[in-house]
Structures are given as C-alpha cells and as structure tokens.
Amino acid sequence: MNKQAEKLFNQGDKEAAVKLLVADLKQNPKQLPEILQLSTYLVQAGDLEQAEELLARSLEIFKDNQDLLYNLGNIYYLADKYDKANDIFQKLVNNDYAFEAYFMLAKTLDEQGKRQLAIMYALTAVEKAPKDLRSNELLADLLLANGNFQEALTFYQAANKIQPEAKFYFNMALCAMNLKKEYQSYLNQAKKLDEKYYLKNEKKLADLQEFIKKQGDSNDGQ
C-alpha cells in the first residue's frame, strides 16, 4: 500500500491520492496492493466506471485474483449490476473466500428478491464472523423482513452487544411487539440513543400498533 497516497486520502485530498497511485501504477502496473488501494479510493470518490475498468484490466495480469474479484463484485453491486455481482460472489463463496463474500452474496440475493437464499448466506457470514456487526445486522434485517421475529430479535441483540445503535433497539421493539412481549424498554433506549432516528421511525411503530390492535379485535369477534 502506498502510504503517501493513504495520508493524502485520509486528509481529504482524494484527487491527489488517486493521481499519485495512477502515476505509480504507470511506472509499474504489477503492484497488486496499489491496484486494490486505487480501486477502493475510486469507489469512495464515486467513480465506479474507472474502478471497474481498472479491476477488469488488472484481472488480465493477476488471473482470478480473489481480492480483485471481490472489489469488482462490490462495484457491480453498487452499480446495481446484481447478476454480475452474484456471479463473482458465488465464485468466491465456492472457493471459501473470507466471510465478506458470504455477506455480499446475501446482500446481492436480497436485491434480486431471493430472500430465503439471502438469509442462508447471511447466516453463514455470521457463523464465520460472529463478532462482525454488519453481518449480524444484515441477518436480523432479513429475518425481520421475512417475519421471523424471534430469530430477528436474537440477532439484533447480538449486534447491539457488539455496538449499541438506536436502530437495533427500535427493531427489537418491533420484534417484541409482534411477539406480544414487553417492548417499551427497547423504545426508551432507542429514543435515548438517537431521538432523531426514533421520531423519524415513530410512524412505523404506530402503524404496527394499529395493525396488531385490529388483529386482536378481529380475533375477539370470532
């Protein structure tokens, strides 16, 4: 990795960091750490097209390099090219690449509307990296969207143990409410951590309370 470019990028001078790496790679295009570094900087600067071009070209030099493939998969995902992203992450998963490939495959499958498969790969990501915050969050989100409230609650609790967030407390409340368990303490914590987030999502809560109440009324009437 080019330390000078890293320093420039961290100082906010993204353009200078990119120019430095481009010049460096012109001198010697076979520097894998610098290629990966440049692709990451291009993505963060929002230049997906240049990043894609760089990685595709580099894969001709470093045939099937898994780190290059992973970065390219991320670019396809960000560019909404989910079929291409899926192909890459599936290939990496088949080669048992790091847990990140399972995580990204789960995200890609979810975008493709394949939630059950997404849950399976998100679960594998968590099994491979139990302390990874975003893997636990993704799995919990997928389970909540699928109506698996008890399992979702468990993984929001796991994520929250790693790093408490208002979103986790709020969604724990949603799960607990659906499970007819005590939920007010979760809401209090969510509000305490981030009142802006809480107020923004309050309507979601009110809608759910109304829905549950209606369900209860119709059951009483039977």
Side-chain angles (χ1 to χ4, degrees), residues 1 11 26 34 44 52 57-58 66 72 74 76 98 100 121-122 141 147 151 161 163 172 192 198-199 201 216 222:
M1 182 181 275
Q11 287 170 345
K26 268 185 183 167
E34 276 78 0
Q44 287 183 33
E52 184 182 336
R57 202 167 58 236
S58 302
Q66 296 199 329
L72 184 58
N74 275 321
Y76 286 145
E100 288 93 345
Y121 283 107
D141 286 348
E151 293 93 332
K161 262 186 194 167
Q163 185 185 304
M172 283 191 260
K192 194 172 156 187
Y198 175 84
L199 293 170
N201 288 276
Q222 278 175 3

PDB file of all heavy atoms in Angstrom, residues 1 11 26 34 44 52 57-58 66 72 74 76 98 100 121-122 141 147 151 161 163 172 192 198-199 201 216 222:
ATOM      1  N   MET A   1       0.833  -1.201   0.000  1.00  0.00           N
ATOM      2  CA  MET A   1       0.000   0.000   0.000  1.00  0.00           C
ATOM      3  C   MET A   1       0.872   1.257   0.000  1.00  0.00           C
ATOM      4  O   MET A   1       1.897   1.303   0.675  1.00  0.00           O
ATOM      5  CB  MET A   1      -0.927  -0.001   1.227  1.00  0.00           C
ATOM      6  CG  MET A   1      -1.859   1.199   1.252  1.00  0.00           C
ATOM      7  SD  MET A   1      -2.948   1.267   2.685  1.00  0.00           S
ATOM      8  CE  MET A   1      -4.289   0.216   2.133  1.00  0.00           C
ATOM      9  N   GLN A  11      -6.578  12.780   4.554  1.00  0.00           N
ATOM     10  CA  GLN A  11      -6.634  14.229   4.800  1.00  0.00           C
ATOM     11  C   GLN A  11      -7.728  14.903   3.958  1.00  0.00           C
ATOM     12  O   GLN A  11      -7.958  16.096   4.077  1.00  0.00           O
ATOM     13  CB  GLN A  11      -5.278  14.880   4.486  1.00  0.00           C
ATOM     14  CG  GLN A  11      -4.203  14.576   5.521  1.00  0.00           C
ATOM     15  CD  GLN A  11      -2.807  15.016   5.084  1.00  0.00           C
ATOM     16  OE1 GLN A  11      -2.568  15.308   3.910  1.00  0.00           O
ATOM     17  NE2 GLN A  11      -1.879  15.051   6.025  1.00  0.00           N
ATOM     18  N   LYS A  26       1.528   3.544 -13.441  1.00  0.00           N
ATOM     19  CA  LYS A  26       2.037   3.710 -14.812  1.00  0.00           C
ATOM     20  C   LYS A  26       3.485   3.259 -14.881  1.00  0.00           C
ATOM     21  O   LYS A  26       3.928   2.678 -15.877  1.00  0.00           O
ATOM     22  CB  LYS A  26       1.902   5.180 -15.236  1.00  0.00           C
ATOM     23  CG  LYS A  26       0.589   5.465 -15.959  1.00  0.00           C
ATOM     24  CD  LYS A  26       0.517   6.880 -16.476  1.00  0.00           C
ATOM     25  CE  LYS A  26      -0.836   7.139 -17.120  1.00  0.00           C
ATOM     26  NZ  LYS A  26      -1.057   8.575 -17.359  1.00  0.00           N
ATOM     27  N   GLU A  34      -1.339  -1.688  -4.585  1.00  0.00           N
ATOM     28  CA  GLU A  34      -1.688  -0.350  -5.065  1.00  0.00           C
ATOM     29  C   GLU A  34      -2.941  -0.380  -5.943  1.00  0.00           C
ATOM     30  O   GLU A  34      -3.743   0.549  -5.927  1.00  0.00           O
ATOM     31  CB  GLU A  34      -0.518   0.268  -5.853  1.00  0.00           C
ATOM     32  CG  GLU A  34       0.533   0.944  -4.999  1.00  0.00           C
ATOM     33  CD  GLU A  34       1.483  -0.055  -4.331  1.00  0.00           C
ATOM     34  OE1 GLU A  34       1.307  -1.270  -4.556  1.00  0.00           O
ATOM     35  OE2 GLU A  34       2.369   0.388  -3.580  1.00  0.00           O
ATOM     36  N   GLN A  44     -14.808   5.105  -3.398  1.00  0.00           N
ATOM     37  CA  GLN A  44     -15.183   6.080  -2.372  1.00  0.00           C
ATOM     38  C   GLN A  44     -15.358   7.482  -2.965  1.00  0.00           C
ATOM     39  O   GLN A  44     -16.115   8.295  -2.438  1.00  0.00           O
ATOM     40  CB  GLN A  44     -14.148   6.096  -1.246  1.00  0.00           C
ATOM     41  CG  GLN A  44     -14.245   4.849  -0.373  1.00  0.00           C
ATOM     42  CD  GLN A  44     -13.282   4.859   0.794  1.00  0.00           C
ATOM     43  OE1 GLN A  44     -12.957   5.889   1.355  1.00  0.00           O
ATOM     44  NE2 GLN A  44     -12.815   3.686   1.164  1.00  0.00           N
ATOM     45  N   GLU A  52     -14.111   0.006 -12.137  1.00  0.00           N
ATOM     46  CA  GLU A  52     -14.437  -1.235 -12.856  1.00  0.00           C
ATOM     47  C   GLU A  52     -13.414  -1.512 -13.952  1.00  0.00           C
ATOM     48  O   GLU A  52     -12.924  -2.640 -14.103  1.00  0.00           O
ATOM     49  CB  GLU A  52     -15.843  -1.128 -13.454  1.00  0.00           C
ATOM     50  CG  GLU A  52     -16.308  -2.392 -14.143  1.00  0.00           C
ATOM     51  CD  GLU A  52     -17.683  -2.256 -14.785  1.00  0.00           C
ATOM     52  OE1 GLU A  52     -18.479  -1.403 -14.361  1.00  0.00           O
ATOM     53  OE2 GLU A  52     -17.955  -3.021 -15.729  1.00  0.00           O
ATOM     54  N   ARG A  57      -9.008  -4.697 -16.080  1.00  0.00           N
ATOM     55  CA  ARG A  57      -7.685  -4.710 -16.718  1.00  0.00           C
ATOM     56  C   ARG A  57      -6.667  -5.472 -15.851  1.00  0.00           C
ATOM     57  O   ARG A  57      -5.859  -6.242 -16.355  1.00  0.00           O
ATOM     58  CB  ARG A  57      -7.232  -3.252 -16.910  1.00  0.00           C
ATOM     59  CG  ARG A  57      -6.172  -3.048 -17.991  1.00  0.00           C
ATOM     60  CD  ARG A  57      -6.007  -1.576 -18.349  1.00  0.00           C
ATOM     61  NE  ARG A  57      -5.657  -0.757 -17.200  1.00  0.00           N
ATOM     62  CZ  ARG A  57      -6.347   0.308 -16.795  1.00  0.00           C
ATOM     63  NH1 ARG A  57      -7.428   0.685 -17.443  1.00  0.00           N
ATOM     64  NH2 ARG A  57      -5.972   1.002 -15.737  1.00  0.00           N
ATOM     65  N   SER A  58      -6.748  -5.266 -14.552  1.00  0.00           N
ATOM     66  CA  SER A  58      -5.802  -5.897 -13.618  1.00  0.00           C
ATOM     67  C   SER A  58      -6.017  -7.406 -13.530  1.00  0.00           C
ATOM     68  O   SER A  58      -5.075  -8.159 -13.288  1.00  0.00           O
ATOM     69  CB  SER A  58      -5.937  -5.275 -12.230  1.00  0.00           C
ATOM     70  OG  SER A  58      -5.698  -3.885 -12.299  1.00  0.00           O
ATOM     71  N   GLN A  66      -8.493 -13.302  -6.070  1.00  0.00           N
ATOM     72  CA  GLN A  66      -9.750 -13.226  -5.318  1.00  0.00           C
ATOM     73  C   GLN A  66     -10.015 -11.841  -4.732  1.00  0.00           C
ATOM     74  O   GLN A  66     -11.167 -11.410  -4.658  1.00  0.00           O
ATOM     75  CB  GLN A  66      -9.753 -14.289  -4.221  1.00  0.00           C
ATOM     76  CG  GLN A  66      -9.734 -15.705  -4.809  1.00  0.00           C
ATOM     77  CD  GLN A  66     -10.199 -16.749  -3.827  1.00  0.00           C
ATOM     78  OE1 GLN A  66     -10.021 -16.616  -2.629  1.00  0.00           O
ATOM     79  NE2 GLN A  66     -10.787 -17.807  -4.330  1.00  0.00           N
ATOM     80  N   LEU A  72     -14.260  -6.037  -7.465  1.00  0.00           N
ATOM     81  CA  LEU A  72     -15.070  -5.891  -8.678  1.00  0.00           C
ATOM     82  C   LEU A  72     -16.535  -6.241  -8.392  1.00  0.00           C
ATOM     83  O   LEU A  72     -17.453  -5.554  -8.853  1.00  0.00           O
ATOM     84  CB  LEU A  72     -14.516  -6.773  -9.807  1.00  0.00           C
ATOM     85  CG  LEU A  72     -15.200  -6.644 -11.176  1.00  0.00           C
ATOM     86  CD1 LEU A  72     -15.163  -5.208 -11.703  1.00  0.00           C
ATOM     87  CD2 LEU A  72     -14.545  -7.586 -12.202  1.00  0.00           C
ATOM     88  N   ASN A  74     -18.069  -5.872  -5.571  1.00  0.00           N
ATOM     89  CA  ASN A  74     -18.629  -4.736  -4.839  1.00  0.00           C
ATOM     90  C   ASN A  74     -19.040  -3.611  -5.782  1.00  0.00           C
ATOM     91  O   ASN A  74     -20.077  -2.959  -5.581  1.00  0.00           O
ATOM     92  CB  ASN A  74     -17.599  -4.186  -3.833  1.00  0.00           C
ATOM     93  CG  ASN A  74     -17.642  -4.948  -2.525  1.00  0.00           C
ATOM     94  OD1 ASN A  74     -18.717  -5.302  -2.056  1.00  0.00           O
ATOM     95  ND2 ASN A  74     -16.492  -5.206  -1.946  1.00  0.00           N
ATOM     96  N   TYR A  76     -19.898  -3.920  -8.973  1.00  0.00           N
ATOM     97  CA  TYR A  76     -21.120  -4.350  -9.674  1.00  0.00           C
ATOM     98  C   TYR A  76     -22.344  -4.173  -8.765  1.00  0.00           C
ATOM     99  O   TYR A  76     -23.414  -3.747  -9.221  1.00  0.00           O
ATOM    100  CB  TYR A  76     -21.011  -5.808 -10.120  1.00  0.00           C
ATOM    101  CG  TYR A  76     -20.085  -6.031 -11.300  1.00  0.00           C
ATOM    102  CD1 TYR A  76     -19.314  -7.195 -11.405  1.00  0.00           C
ATOM    103  CD2 TYR A  76     -19.993  -5.091 -12.326  1.00  0.00           C
ATOM    104  CE1 TYR A  76     -18.473  -7.410 -12.489  1.00  0.00           C
ATOM    105  CE2 TYR A  76     -19.153  -5.302 -13.418  1.00  0.00           C
ATOM    106  CZ  TYR A  76     -18.397  -6.459 -13.488  1.00  0.00           C
ATOM    107  OH  TYR A  76     -17.570  -6.660 -14.559  1.00  0.00           O
ATOM    108  N   ALA A  98     -13.124 -15.210   2.303  1.00  0.00           N
ATOM    109  CA  ALA A  98     -13.478 -14.692   3.632  1.00  0.00           C
ATOM    110  C   ALA A  98     -14.986 -14.455   3.780  1.00  0.00           C
ATOM    111  O   ALA A  98     -15.717 -14.413   2.787  1.00  0.00           O
ATOM    112  CB  ALA A  98     -12.719 -13.394   3.874  1.00  0.00           C
ATOM    113  N   GLU A 100     -16.721 -11.989   4.125  1.00  0.00           N
ATOM    114  CA  GLU A 100     -17.274 -10.849   3.382  1.00  0.00           C
ATOM    115  C   GLU A 100     -17.966 -11.271   2.089  1.00  0.00           C
ATOM    116  O   GLU A 100     -18.939 -10.640   1.666  1.00  0.00           O
ATOM    117  CB  GLU A 100     -16.175  -9.825   3.048  1.00  0.00           C
ATOM    118  CG  GLU A 100     -15.668  -9.038   4.233  1.00  0.00           C
ATOM    119  CD  GLU A 100     -14.445  -9.653   4.893  1.00  0.00           C
ATOM    120  OE1 GLU A 100     -14.151 -10.841   4.618  1.00  0.00           O
ATOM    121  OE2 GLU A 100     -13.788  -8.943   5.678  1.00  0.00           O
ATOM    122  N   TYR A 121     -27.110 -17.321   3.345  1.00  0.00           N
ATOM    123  CA  TYR A 121     -25.726 -16.847   3.211  1.00  0.00           C
ATOM    124  C   TYR A 121     -25.366 -15.836   4.302  1.00  0.00           C
ATOM    125  O   TYR A 121     -24.224 -15.789   4.763  1.00  0.00           O
ATOM    126  CB  TYR A 121     -25.485 -16.267   1.812  1.00  0.00           C
ATOM    127  CG  TYR A 121     -25.319 -17.354   0.781  1.00  0.00           C
ATOM    128  CD1 TYR A 121     -26.319 -17.613  -0.155  1.00  0.00           C
ATOM    129  CD2 TYR A 121     -24.174 -18.152   0.758  1.00  0.00           C
ATOM    130  CE1 TYR A 121     -26.178 -18.640  -1.095  1.00  0.00           C
ATOM    131  CE2 TYR A 121     -24.022 -19.164  -0.182  1.00  0.00           C
ATOM    132  CZ  TYR A 121     -25.027 -19.412  -1.102  1.00  0.00           C
ATOM    133  OH  TYR A 121     -24.878 -20.422  -2.022  1.00  0.00           O
ATOM    134  N   ALA A 122     -26.344 -15.036   4.730  1.00  0.00           N
ATOM    135  CA  ALA A 122     -26.093 -14.096   5.834  1.00  0.00           C
ATOM    136  C   ALA A 122     -25.801 -14.870   7.117  1.00  0.00           C
ATOM    137  O   ALA A 122     -24.922 -14.480   7.903  1.00  0.00           O
ATOM    138  CB  ALA A 122     -27.293 -13.177   6.028  1.00  0.00           C
ATOM    139  N   ASP A 141     -32.012  -7.943   9.835  1.00  0.00           N
ATOM    140  CA  ASP A 141     -32.893  -7.199   8.914  1.00  0.00           C
ATOM    141  C   ASP A 141     -33.656  -8.141   7.987  1.00  0.00           C
ATOM    142  O   ASP A 141     -34.858  -7.967   7.744  1.00  0.00           O
ATOM    143  CB  ASP A 141     -32.071  -6.229   8.057  1.00  0.00           C
ATOM    144  CG  ASP A 141     -31.581  -5.008   8.829  1.00  0.00           C
ATOM    145  OD1 ASP A 141     -32.039  -4.776   9.965  1.00  0.00           O
ATOM    146  OD2 ASP A 141     -30.721  -4.283   8.284  1.00  0.00           O
ATOM    147  N   GLY A 147     -40.495 -11.887   8.533  1.00  0.00           N
ATOM    148  CA  GLY A 147     -41.472 -12.225   9.577  1.00  0.00           C
ATOM    149  C   GLY A 147     -40.977 -13.213  10.609  1.00  0.00           C
ATOM    150  O   GLY A 147     -41.764 -13.741  11.400  1.00  0.00           O
ATOM    151  N   GLU A 151     -36.152 -14.921  15.773  1.00  0.00           N
ATOM    152  CA  GLU A 151     -34.762 -15.027  15.297  1.00  0.00           C
ATOM    153  C   GLU A 151     -34.176 -13.637  15.043  1.00  0.00           C
ATOM    154  O   GLU A 151     -33.022 -13.370  15.382  1.00  0.00           O
ATOM    155  CB  GLU A 151     -34.685 -15.863  14.007  1.00  0.00           C
ATOM    156  CG  GLU A 151     -35.031 -17.334  14.192  1.00  0.00           C
ATOM    157  CD  GLU A 151     -36.504 -17.625  13.924  1.00  0.00           C
ATOM    158  OE1 GLU A 151     -37.354 -16.716  14.113  1.00  0.00           O
ATOM    159  OE2 GLU A 151     -36.810 -18.765  13.534  1.00  0.00           O
ATOM    160  N   LYS A 161     -24.999  -5.958  21.215  1.00  0.00           N
ATOM    161  CA  LYS A 161     -23.924  -6.259  22.170  1.00  0.00           C
ATOM    162  C   LYS A 161     -22.576  -5.808  21.631  1.00  0.00           C
ATOM    163  O   LYS A 161     -21.694  -5.384  22.371  1.00  0.00           O
ATOM    164  CB  LYS A 161     -23.865  -7.777  22.445  1.00  0.00           C
ATOM    165  CG  LYS A 161     -24.586  -8.190  23.708  1.00  0.00           C
ATOM    166  CD  LYS A 161     -24.370  -9.668  23.992  1.00  0.00           C
ATOM    167  CE  LYS A 161     -25.354 -10.147  25.041  1.00  0.00           C
ATOM    168  NZ  LYS A 161     -25.394 -11.610  25.119  1.00  0.00           N
ATOM    169  N   GLN A 163     -22.161  -3.321  19.303  1.00  0.00           N
ATOM    170  CA  GLN A 163     -22.176  -1.848  19.288  1.00  0.00           C
ATOM    171  C   GLN A 163     -23.627  -1.361  19.346  1.00  0.00           C
ATOM    172  O   GLN A 163     -24.356  -1.477  18.349  1.00  0.00           O
ATOM    173  CB  GLN A 163     -21.505  -1.327  18.017  1.00  0.00           C
ATOM    174  CG  GLN A 163     -21.372   0.195  17.984  1.00  0.00           C
ATOM    175  CD  GLN A 163     -20.807   0.658  16.654  1.00  0.00           C
ATOM    176  OE1 GLN A 163     -19.731   0.213  16.249  1.00  0.00           O
ATOM    177  NE2 GLN A 163     -21.524   1.530  15.951  1.00  0.00           N
ATOM    178  N   MET A 172     -35.722  -4.168  17.749  1.00  0.00           N
ATOM    179  CA  MET A 172     -36.008  -5.146  18.818  1.00  0.00           C
ATOM    180  C   MET A 172     -37.419  -4.906  19.359  1.00  0.00           C
ATOM    181  O   MET A 172     -38.151  -5.855  19.653  1.00  0.00           O
ATOM    182  CB  MET A 172     -34.982  -5.038  19.945  1.00  0.00           C
ATOM    183  CG  MET A 172     -33.649  -5.679  19.626  1.00  0.00           C
ATOM    184  SD  MET A 172     -32.610  -5.788  21.108  1.00  0.00           S
ATOM    185  CE  MET A 172     -31.524  -4.403  20.873  1.00  0.00           C
ATOM    186  N   LYS A 192     -33.341   7.350  23.649  1.00  0.00           N
ATOM    187  CA  LYS A 192     -32.217   7.885  24.429  1.00  0.00           C
ATOM    188  C   LYS A 192     -30.946   7.976  23.579  1.00  0.00           C
ATOM    189  O   LYS A 192     -30.203   8.949  23.634  1.00  0.00           O
ATOM    190  CB  LYS A 192     -31.975   6.949  25.633  1.00  0.00           C
ATOM    191  CG  LYS A 192     -31.076   7.516  26.717  1.00  0.00           C
ATOM    192  CD  LYS A 192     -31.112   6.547  27.898  1.00  0.00           C
ATOM    193  CE  LYS A 192     -29.882   6.654  28.759  1.00  0.00           C
ATOM    194  NZ  LYS A 192     -29.872   5.599  29.787  1.00  0.00           N
ATOM    195  N   TYR A 198     -35.485   7.912  16.214  1.00  0.00           N
ATOM    196  CA  TYR A 198     -36.721   7.432  16.835  1.00  0.00           C
ATOM    197  C   TYR A 198     -37.941   8.162  16.264  1.00  0.00           C
ATOM    198  O   TYR A 198     -38.916   7.538  15.858  1.00  0.00           O
ATOM    199  CB  TYR A 198     -36.647   7.620  18.350  1.00  0.00           C
ATOM    200  CG  TYR A 198     -37.930   7.255  19.059  1.00  0.00           C
ATOM    201  CD1 TYR A 198     -38.198   5.927  19.399  1.00  0.00           C
ATOM    202  CD2 TYR A 198     -38.891   8.220  19.375  1.00  0.00           C
ATOM    203  CE1 TYR A 198     -39.382   5.575  20.034  1.00  0.00           C
ATOM    204  CE2 TYR A 198     -40.075   7.880  19.998  1.00  0.00           C
ATOM    205  CZ  TYR A 198     -40.313   6.559  20.323  1.00  0.00           C
ATOM    206  OH  TYR A 198     -41.495   6.213  20.938  1.00  0.00           O
ATOM    207  N   LEU A 199     -37.869   9.487  16.224  1.00  0.00           N
ATOM    208  CA  LEU A 199     -39.001  10.285  15.742  1.00  0.00           C
ATOM    209  C   LEU A 199     -39.280  10.026  14.260  1.00  0.00           C
ATOM    210  O   LEU A 199     -40.427   9.989  13.833  1.00  0.00           O
ATOM    211  CB  LEU A 199     -38.741  11.774  15.979  1.00  0.00           C
ATOM    212  CG  LEU A 199     -38.705  12.194  17.458  1.00  0.00           C
ATOM    213  CD1 LEU A 199     -38.215  13.614  17.607  1.00  0.00           C
ATOM    214  CD2 LEU A 199     -40.083  12.019  18.119  1.00  0.00           C
ATOM    215  N   ASN A 201     -38.897   7.278  12.724  1.00  0.00           N
ATOM    216  CA  ASN A 201     -39.484   5.946  12.524  1.00  0.00           C
ATOM    217  C   ASN A 201     -40.717   5.687  13.385  1.00  0.00           C
ATOM    218  O   ASN A 201     -41.253   4.588  13.373  1.00  0.00           O
ATOM    219  CB  ASN A 201     -38.428   4.871  12.811  1.00  0.00           C
ATOM    220  CG  ASN A 201     -37.372   4.813  11.728  1.00  0.00           C
ATOM    221  OD1 ASN A 201     -37.554   4.182  10.706  1.00  0.00           O
ATOM    222  ND2 ASN A 201     -36.269   5.504  11.947  1.00  0.00           N
ATOM    223  N   GLY A 216     -56.186  -8.195  16.878  1.00  0.00           N
ATOM    224  CA  GLY A 216     -56.720  -8.612  18.188  1.00  0.00           C
ATOM    225  C   GLY A 216     -58.216  -8.466  18.231  1.00  0.00           C
ATOM    226  O   GLY A 216     -58.939  -9.357  18.674  1.00  0.00           O
ATOM    227  N   GLN A 222     -64.365 -13.374  16.749  1.00  0.00           N
ATOM    228  CA  GLN A 222     -64.617 -14.684  16.139  1.00  0.00           C
ATOM    229  C   GLN A 222     -65.325 -15.620  17.104  1.00  0.00           C
ATOM    230  O   GLN A 222     -65.086 -15.570  18.293  1.00  0.00           O
ATOM    231  CB  GLN A 222     -63.281 -15.303  15.693  1.00  0.00           C
ATOM    232  CG  GLN A 222     -62.844 -14.754  14.358  1.00  0.00           C
ATOM    233  CD  GLN A 222     -61.467 -15.277  13.965  1.00  0.00           C
ATOM    234  OE1 GLN A 222     -60.878 -16.071  14.660  1.00  0.00           O
ATOM    235  NE2 GLN A 222     -60.960 -14.812  12.842  1.00  0.00           N
TER     236      GLN A 222
END
